[in-house]
Amino acid sequence: MRPNSQALKHGSSHDTEREFGGALGALCIPVSLPLTVLFLIGVSRSPEASVFQWPPPLPSTDQLWDPLALVLLLGWIALHALLYVMPLGKVSEGLVLRDGTRLKYPINGFHGLCVSCVLLLLLLVLGAPLGSLFELLVPLAACAIAASFLFSVYLYTRSFWVPSHALALGGNTGNPLYDFFIGRELNPRIGNFDLKYFCELRPGLIGWMVINLGMLMKEVELRGSPSLAMMLVNSFQLLYVADALWNEEAVLTTMDIVHDGFGFMLVFGDLAWVPFTYGLQASFLVVHPQALSPLGAATIIALNGLETIATATGKRLLVSGWWGIVRHPNYLGDLLMALAWSLPCGFSHLLPYFYVVYFTVLLIHREARDERQCRAKYGLAWDSYCRRVPYRIFPYVY
């Protein structure tokens, strides 16, 4: 779930422009975002489900720990690490690195999703209580947050033993806080196992689908059958994940892989933020069921269907008209899709629309990064394109 790279050049990056608020952001974000994850989970499970309630519904310390949560998290990561190294699918090469080499990547994430689905189906047949994931959400999130910090410390430490050409230019500033946050090493690997590429689309993204299924099964326990709203949320988000993994090769040219180092920002995003905040709609619906008419469902399905055109992965047949209207039609499609995920939850609460608000801010920030990099890469040609297509994401607005 990241566009375009910048032209990479040799040399130190101590004078590189710092992003996300620089050192201050690198200090505040690793504190605020984990608390935000726990806060949002607490709000989704509370009777009021109000993001403005005070005191905020943060979990107590005894609610943060459950040994089963740690076993499930480590077992899940181990399963997908095993699937990653299995000889399934093809092997593709990434873009040329600063030392002239190209790394090889296994394109087998969709196979991992299929195996996960088969295992989940088997667990359902055997009567496994997948609905208990609802009660385990907080300790699972706490374990994922702790794992993100520990993993980031390992990545930062090991980066001092790699050659300079293996460092990300933006993460080699000399400021320990900022470099820990943004990531020093560009492509950390253990042998041929690429740690960043593995985390990008595997345990967190597929784990998000498992959590959604757990919420659906909890609703079945409580009410006898899943609601139409819950089925739409599960279906839309499963389609999104399946599409991302089916087109896994496209991630090799994204900013995350080509430009950003692998530090706390990406680790936490991949392992904690995505699985525990992107699916808030499902956990919300467990406690706050919503009635949805067939006409309402059809309208929402149609809205989600627009995303197929707007976020196509570079195929000329699907995007030729959109790129002449806005410079980033894929972002517009992402936002329409995000809205479709939230609409089944109705309009009585703001929480289900957190993803829409967050994603709007994220994409506007990402679009600004894209603009800087494309202008540096394409020069006058990019300026000419901007004059021809003045709107960035929203036609006639922005």
Side-chain angles (χ1 to χ4, degrees):
M1 351 164 257
R2 296 164 172 154
N4 301 334
S5 64
Q6 72 173 34
L8 300 177
K9 59 181 183 295
H10 293 281
S12 172
S13 65
H14 288 245
D15 58 349
T16 299
E17 179 182 355
R18 300 181 187 183
E19 302 182 271
F20 300 99
L24 180 61
L27 175 64
C28 296
I29 293 174
V31 176
S32 61
L33 287 191
L35 292 176
T36 299
V37 170
L38 297 175
F39 167 75
L40 291 171
I41 294 174
V43 170
S44 72
R45 295 149 56 98
S46 68
E48 299 84 3
S50 172
V51 294
F52 302 111
Q53 59 187 294
W54 191 264
L58 291 172
S60 60
T61 52
D62 62 310
Q63 293 175 314
L64 295 175
W65 170 247
D66 188 314
L68 178 58
L70 180 61
V71 171
L72 290 175
L73 178 69
L74 295 180
W76 179 251
I77 294 174
L79 168 66
H80 282 277
L82 177 63
L83 294 174
Y84 177 95
V85 299
M86 292 185 67
L88 301 171
K90 65 178 182 178
V91 175
S92 294
E93 290 187 333
L95 299 182
V96 178
L97 301 175
R98 294 204 304 275
D99 64 351
T101 63
R102 293 162 67 107
L103 297 175
K104 296 182 182 298
Y105 298 89
I107 310 298
N108 57 13
F110 190 79
H111 296 82
L113 175 65
C114 292
V115 171
S116 299
C117 290
V118 170
L119 292 176
L120 288 170
L121 181 61
L122 179 61
L123 289 173
L124 288 174
V125 170
L126 295 175
L130 292 183
S132 62
L133 287 175
F134 179 76
E135 285 78 21
L136 286 171
L137 266 184
V138 169
L140 278 171
C143 288
I145 290 167
S148 298
F149 275 103
L150 293 174
F151 189 30
S152 299
V153 169
Y154 162 74
L155 291 168
Y156 179 75
T157 303
R158 63 164 276 156
S159 70
F160 290 94
W161 278 267
V162 302
S164 59
H165 64 75
L167 299 178
L169 295 178
N172 184 24
T173 67
N175 183 296
L177 273 177
Y178 183 78
D179 291 348
F180 168 83
F181 170 74
I182 210 73
R184 291 190 84 239
E185 191 175 357
L186 183 61
N187 300 295
R189 289 189 162 209
I190 300 176
N192 291 324
F193 193 103
D194 193 292
L195 298 171
K196 180 167 67 170
Y197 175 70
F198 168 72
C199 290
E200 184 80 2
L201 294 180
R202 311 291 179 113
L205 205 66
I206 303 176
W208 167 22
M209 295 301 92
V210 178
I211 291 173
N212 274 0
L213 178 61
M215 301 307 101
L216 184 148
M217 295 309 299
K218 185 64 179 179
E219 191 177 55
V220 171
E221 290 178 18
L222 294 173
R223 302 181 187 99
S225 63
S227 65
L228 178 56
M230 179 69 83
M231 288 190 290
L232 283 184
V233 167
N234 269 256
S235 299
F236 290 163
Q237 296 181 353
L238 175 60
L239 177 63
Y240 177 85
V241 171
D243 177 72
L245 291 166
W246 181 261
N247 296 289
E248 184 180 22
E249 193 171 6
V251 82
L252 300 182
T253 60
T254 60
M255 182 183 294
D256 288 1
I257 297 297
V258 176
H259 172 257
D260 292 335
F262 196 36
F264 181 83
M265 178 184 73
L266 287 182
V267 171
F268 176 81
D270 292 339
L271 300 183
W273 185 260
V274 167
F276 294 102
T277 67
Y278 280 27
L280 282 172
Q281 296 90 349
S283 60
F284 170 85
L285 287 171
V286 172
V287 182
H288 309 88
Q290 302 291 317
L292 191 62
S293 69
L295 177 60
T299 303
I300 295 170
I301 291 171
L303 177 63
N304 190 74
L306 291 176
E307 178 264 340
T308 304
I309 297 175
T311 65
T313 56
K315 296 182 179 178
R316 297 172 64 91
L317 179 63
L318 292 179
V319 302
S320 56
W322 290 88
W323 295 98
I325 301 173
V326 291
R327 301 203 289 268
H328 300 277
N330 50 324
Y331 292 174
L332 176 60
D334 282 338
L335 291 173
L336 291 174
M337 175 191 62
L339 180 62
W341 295 357
S342 304
L343 287 173
C345 299
F347 300 100
S348 60
H349 295 83
L350 179 61
L351 178 73
Y353 295 86
F354 167 80
Y355 181 76
V356 181
V357 176
Y358 151 75
F359 215 44
T360 300
V361 175
L362 173 72
L363 292 180
I364 289 174
H365 174 265
R366 185 176 293 167
E367 183 275 334
R369 297 180 80 193
D370 291 346
E371 289 286 318
R372 289 195 301 270
Q373 293 170 17
C374 289
R375 182 163 285 108
K377 183 174 183 179
Y378 300 112
L380 294 177
W382 182 255
D383 292 334
S384 176
Y385 173 65
C386 291
R387 287 192 296 270
R388 179 181 174 185
V389 183
Y391 299 104
R392 301 174 181 226
I393 300 176
F394 305 101
Y396 309 105
V397 177
Y398 174 77

